[in-house]
Amino acid sequence: MAYASITFLMRTIELLLTSNSQMQSLICNHREEFKLLHEKVSSLEVFLKNFEKNNVSGEMTDFEAQIKEVADDVEHTIQLRLTEAAMENNKIQKEKADEVLCDSLQQAANNIDRLQKESTKIQDKGKLASNKSSLVQDSSSTKDILNVKKNMMGRDDERKRLLEDLTRGFSSECKVIPITGMGGIGKTTLAKDVFNDVSIRSHFDVRAWATISQQYDVKEILLSLLRSTMGYTFYMGDEADLADMLQKSLKSKRYLIVMDDMWSSKAWDEVKQCFPTQSNGSRILLTTRDTELACYAGTKNLSFEMGFMDPNESWNLFVRAAFANEGLASEFETIGKQIANKCQGLPLTIVVVAGLLSRSKRTIKDWEEIAKDVMSFVRNDPDEQCLHVLGLSYNHLTSDLKACLLYFGIFSEDSDISVKKLVRLWIAAGFLKLGKDLEGEAKKCLQDLIDRCLVLVSKKSMDGTKIRSCKVHDLIYELCLRELAQRQDIFFMNDVSTLVMGMEPFSRHIPYSGCYRALLTPKRHLYDNNRFKRTCSIIFLCRYPCTTFTLRSNLRHYKTLTILDLSLIQLSSFPPEILCLICLRYLVLSRYGWWGFDIPPEIFKLVNLQTFIVEGYGSIDVIFPQHIWELTGIRHLKLNLFYLPNPPNVSERYLVFSNVQTISGLSPCSCTKEVISSIQNVKKLGIVGDGGDYRTFQKSAFFDNLVHLHQLETLKFQFRYVWMSEQISPATIPSAKAFPATLKNLKLVGTGLRWEDLNIIGELPNLEVLKLILDACCGQEWHPIEGAFTQLKLLLIDHLNNLRY
């Protein structure tokens, strides 16, 4: 993934040039070198973006691998040299480290120059090839695969509704009806079925069909439509003549045009002017995998989104595809239904699996083995019918979207994936375009993959505005695994001990294989088996207690490791071996037991850390050392409950978390003026405390500090074990001005506020969601005042006893 490596290298250089960390003093003598290097890398980023789809004779793929290798080397070298210089206390050694850094930057610039010269040659070849290129039709239609005899099986409701929309209104204006869905869902099959329906034949004066595909030619599209409207006897003019002929052939006629397999809005814009806008009930049917395109081209409220088949429809299609000319023995029915269900309602998979089964005589035992792993059966299809169809969707993606989609391969099959976690992993892996709002960019990428029907939404927020979790169809998952293996951009592994024989970074006490996933960068040479240098991500998928797991000291050899997720490994203390991983950007740990979990002062060595999460149970608080403020790139900080010291004053100004997005578990005692001033850009803040912390919450000065969080959108207050004693009086909110005006989401847990305080909260101008949980307020009656909560979309009240309002 050359694009990901280049973009992250650019971001690393930008952070070094703009951050307030200790690295500033180390690069002050090399700012010009870093600026020049950033300029050179930027030109390669533009090259990759412009030429990502123009692979000339395979050269582009080889060159991308070279770019990725150089970018990864430069990234690691910069991090290593800066860290070495930062660790040196001896003045002479520090000067030597500075000289080594200078030499490394010069070598990096030379390597980038070499790549720039090569990119110029490839661009020239690309221009020459494009001038000589001819149209290559590569239809992604699945009509040959899904050519089940007679009419399609199932889809009766969709078919009926589509026929009604096509024939309703003899005098209505021309309407465009898009059919959307993932590859293999049956869009073309449904379109062809209604296209050939008797009622459609009699209703329309003219019917015409054109298959667009990814690589389209407007002239060929026009010729295809003209052959349907005028037969084969017409003048073969240029594109403008053909467009004029088509418009004249359709004028004053009620026409049905099917534009099958549309991939881009540009293709639609280039042909839509050929269709007369007359009010005689004409229709244009458009099939596409892109819901955004469907919204762009389609008539409002007329889009068809095709879903997966239900078990009955799946089974009927399976039987018809596999046993159209013969009956199915009764003993095969039970296991056959299991196989059909494991196709997850995708007609393409059902027909392919049924077809493969029908080609040879198989015993009931063979069917039972296939039922255990249907996707493996599909994977071994010599024609790769399913993966070819879905591969077209993958190949149509940009480089950053390809990288984001492939990352689904690191999770377990058929698992629901937290969007919050996925977004943070994408950012840590360097898959996204540069910008201040990386989380927003990641969510746009996710929505783009959803719009292209490659990712499925599993769960949304209660108000339906946000996607909480997502997943991919098993066939897309297989596609990800295949691409990870074939392209060798990243590698997929299941067993810890296979990383390096006898040199694994974890103890051998882990009892099961398949407990983790690791992504590796490609081999740089044929015999390069040093997986220490190539491992970039390790994520555990199985839960183990601390007694079965230890980290080993040789973990320090994994110098390129950027992602380490040990959330399912319960640890009794912070593993010091992690402090050697200078490239680490994403770190998740899980605390075990009721004893302390001290964060060492050396945490500052992880200068690239963006996400730091400590999960687990227990009421022991975590106290961060002041060195935590040196991690100026931190974006997400989450623990059960932690204390954050005031930031150190460096050169007459405080260190700040300028990139921070979310903080969860912060003690009220840490909400000082100094801390709040250093996290001013935070968008989501969770404040958690116990009985002693509640006294801080009662003070008005507490709210005086919070009001300065001008980017804050989501705020949670949670207090534990406060109301076991009746000696504590409820806190009060001074006024609505105590909260930032930007606040949209407020959650109160155990806060014990007075009900009249909620009327003050109701004055917040942008509040959309309010959640009151477990003694959030005291008293039995609430009398909301008129005019409050004008923007509120969701009110959730849970575990508030005897409340009347």
Side-chain angles (χ1 to χ4, degrees), residues 322-323 326 332 354-363 366-367 370 377:
F323 306 100
E326 56 184 290
F332 284 88
L356 292 172
L357 285 171
S358 66
R359 291 178 188 175
S360 58
K361 298 295 182 182
R362 295 179 183 269
T363 66
D366 293 332
W367 280 45
I370 291 168
F377 186 58

Side-chain angles (χ1 to χ4, degrees), residues 142-149 151-153 184-186 189 309 313-323 339-340 342-359 374-375 377-378 381 385-386 475:
T142 57
K143 58 181 180 292
D144 294 331
I145 299 173
L146 295 179
N147 188 22
V148 184
K149 295 179 181 178
N151 294 332
M152 65 186 298
M153 296 296 298
I185 200 75
T189 305
M309 286 185 159
E313 290 175 328
S314 298
W315 173 240
N316 291 334
L317 179 61
F318 180 86
V319 171
R320 186 160 187 168
F323 306 100
I339 294 174
K342 289 188 176 182
C343 293
Q344 297 184 312
L346 187 65
L348 172 64
T349 312
I350 296 168
V351 171
V352 168
V353 170
L356 292 172
L357 285 171
S358 66
R359 291 178 188 175
V374 171
M375 286 303 124
F377 186 58
V378 172
D381 171 20
Q385 299 171 86
C386 292
L475 204 54

Side-chain angles (χ1 to χ4, degrees), residues 679-728:
I679 60 170
Q680 283 192 16
N681 293 329
V682 71
K683 293 182 178 178
K684 186 174 182 179
L685 177 62
I687 297 174
V688 180
D690 291 325
D693 299 316
Y694 190 76
R695 294 181 178 87
T696 303
F697 181 61
Q698 291 174 309
K699 299 176 182 177
S700 60
F702 174 80
F703 291 99
D704 292 341
N705 296 331
L706 289 182
V707 74
H708 298 294
L709 300 176
H710 302 300
Q711 305 294 323
L712 192 66
E713 296 180 357
T714 300
L715 176 61
K716 180 178 98 170
F717 290 115
Q718 179 178 356
F719 290 94
R720 307 177 301 190
Y721 321 122
V722 173
W723 305 105
M724 292 181 177
S725 169
E726 297 185 2
Q727 304 295 322
I728 299 177

